[in-house]
Amino acid sequence: RLDDMIGVFKELTEVDEVYAYIRRGESQTLEFKETLSLDVAKQTKEKYIEISALKTIVAFLNTVGGALLIGVSDDGDILGIDAEMDKLHKGILDKFLLNLKNLIKSRIGEQFYPYINYTIVNISSKKVLKIICVESDTPCYYENKDFYVRTNPATDKLEGPKLVEYVQHHFNQ
């Protein structure tokens, strides 16, 4: 019984947390994405949509951390990931989450697992994927080559001298 009550309380607090994020709106430490992989208009899996979410995670790791909510539109509407799960993962949450884990593993790297925590939050019978990133101790590159940082509220790619200077100052290397 107590475990059930604690579970309900935890669920309520996660829902409240997501609503609080949405009320705050996008910022240097908060980003909303409608889907992880699904092009809503074409109803197809698209790499460029995955890249957009993964670049945001990399940028959070390289800056001060942050939260990525997938299943929320830019204007804060809760759309959920249910349609994407149904279309691309046969409606199976575990397959959706395994896909996310594999994307992180192959495009960001397993060494960054300790800095990335993700969970599904059920809101109004919709599932929202909440990804929390903490600042990494070392530089993180998308596919071992592209370096991103967060600037209010955008993800920017750094190259050349700007990249070297940022890494030297931010990571004290």
Side-chain angles (χ1 to χ4, degrees):
R1 273 198 166 280
L2 182 59
D3 286 344
D4 291 343
M5 288 171 54
I6 290 170
V8 167
F9 181 71
K10 183 178 185 297
E11 213 170 280
L12 281 175
T13 57
E14 283 192 328
V15 168
D16 292 338
E17 180 185 43
V18 169
Y19 279 127
Y21 281 141
I22 292 169
R23 280 192 301 274
R24 272 188 252 153
E26 292 185 318
S27 68
Q28 181 184 16
T29 58
L30 181 60
E31 178 75 22
F32 305 150
K33 300 280 184 199
E34 288 187 18
T35 67
L36 178 62
S37 307
L38 183 68
D39 182 314
V40 179
K42 294 193 289 189
Q43 287 295 298
T44 55
K45 182 175 182 166
E46 297 294 336
K47 188 173 180 178
Y48 77 93
I49 294 177
E50 292 174 350
I51 291 170
S52 178
L54 295 169
K55 287 186 333 188
T56 300
I57 293 171
V58 168
F60 284 150
L61 295 171
N62 285 329
T63 315
V64 294
L68 172 59
L69 298 180
I70 297 180
V72 177
S73 71
D74 283 344
D75 57 7
D77 290 338
I78 297 170
L79 308 171
I81 58 165
D82 306 81
E84 178 172 3
M85 263 180 26
D86 291 345
K87 181 84 178 163
L88 303 179
H89 305 284
K90 299 178 179 153
I92 301 170
L93 181 59
D94 283 349
K95 287 187 177 190
F96 176 86
L97 293 174
L98 181 62
N99 178 58
L100 172 63
K101 183 189 95 54
N102 288 335
L103 287 171
I104 292 169
K105 179 180 180 178
S106 65
R107 309 237 188 110
I108 296 173
E110 295 169 278
Q111 69 272 31
F112 293 100
Y113 285 169
Y115 303 95
I116 304 167
N117 187 7
Y118 50 89
T119 186
I120 297 292
V121 181
N122 293 301
I123 301 178
S124 307
S125 71
K126 295 177 184 168
K127 292 175 179 56
V128 171
L129 173 61
K130 179 182 77 170
I131 303 172
I132 302 293
C133 302
V134 296
E135 182 179 353
S136 172
D137 297 334
T138 58
C140 177
Y141 297 85
Y142 175 76
E143 292 190 332
N144 282 318
K145 64 179 190 289
D146 295 330
F147 187 87
Y148 296 93
V149 293
R150 278 299 280 186
T151 54
N152 231 7
T155 298
D156 292 325
K157 183 177 181 179
L158 295 185
E159 298 177 291
K162 289 181 180 176
L163 165 60
V164 173
E165 187 177 318
Y166 184 89
V167 169
Q168 286 174 339
H169 286 97
H170 189 79
F171 297 103
N172 297 317
Q173 293 187 344

